[in-house]
Amino acid sequence: MATPDHISLTLARHGLRHTPMRRAVLDVLFSKSFALSSNDIEQALEADSDRITLYRTLRTFEQKGVIHRVLDSSDVIRFAACSVACTEQAHADDHVHFKCSACERTYCLTQVAIPAVQLPGGFRATHRDYLMSGVCQQCHAE
Ligand SMILES: [Zn+2]
Ligand SMILES: [Zn+2]
């Protein structure tokens, strides 16, 4: 569970005002070790939460470097909290994502950096996605 302090610090670090929705969304994202779709987040929020506000919050968080998109092989967009080093200008956590074929969760392997890739002349990457799939720790143990 995210501490109120962690949430406050995150909002402050990115120059964001505190709103009930921002706090609630961060609380949900910080409490999970895997990426969540806007639908997953909506279901974890209180029943009367406004969907438009949720979408707006996710967009703001993504722009500010609070959360990042986690692309997997499905066409559902999922989000996960960024590392503390991420800012609006520079997304600092280039880590591997892992999709589990058993539980279908996609995890941020924040401790596993995307390996260096040598590109041919003339190609300049501005974004990197690295997805591995298989069986996660938890499913493997079962
Ligand atoms: Zn799994
Ligand atoms: Zn990630």
Side-chain angles (χ1 to χ4, degrees), residues 2-140:
T3 61
D5 220 43
H6 190 188
I7 293 172
S8 300
L9 280 173
T10 302
L11 290 172
R13 195 183 301 120
H14 295 276
L16 291 166
R17 271 188 312 111
H18 291 221
T19 68
M21 179 62 90
R22 285 174 180 171
R23 298 194 68 94
V25 170
L26 280 183
D27 195 31
V28 172
L29 283 168
F30 284 153
S31 67
K32 302 283 187 224
S33 59
F34 47 88
L36 298 173
S37 67
S38 55
N39 234 349
D40 297 333
I41 297 169
E42 193 181 350
Q43 275 166 31
L45 296 176
E46 285 174 34
D48 62 345
S49 300
D50 178 45
R51 181 179 293 185
I52 305 294
T53 313
L54 169 61
Y55 289 155
R56 204 178 299 136
T57 300
L58 290 173
R59 201 174 331 122
T60 304
F61 278 176
E62 194 182 3
Q63 282 167 357
K64 294 282 186 183
V66 179
I67 61 174
H68 61 280
R69 282 175 191 236
V70 178
L71 301 178
D72 60 26
S73 42
S74 75
D75 52 9
V76 179
I77 298 167
R78 293 186 171 82
F79 298 96
C82 281
S83 80
V84 293
C86 293
T87 65
E88 189 170 2
Q89 288 77 30
H91 188 70
D93 56 350
D94 264 355
H95 55 255
V96 168
H97 288 140
F98 190 97
K99 168 135 180 144
C100 174
S101 53
C103 64
E104 301 200 320
R105 286 170 173 168
T106 307
Y107 296 85
C108 287
L109 301 186
T110 49
Q111 69 278 42
V112 184
I114 297 178
V117 174
Q118 201 67 47
L119 291 173
F123 287 87
R124 247 191 68 222
T126 53
H127 185 79
R128 313 201 298 164
D129 281 301
Y130 195 109
L131 179 71
M132 297 187 83
S133 48
V135 181
C136 75
Q137 226 166 28
Q138 209 174 322
C139 293
H140 185 82

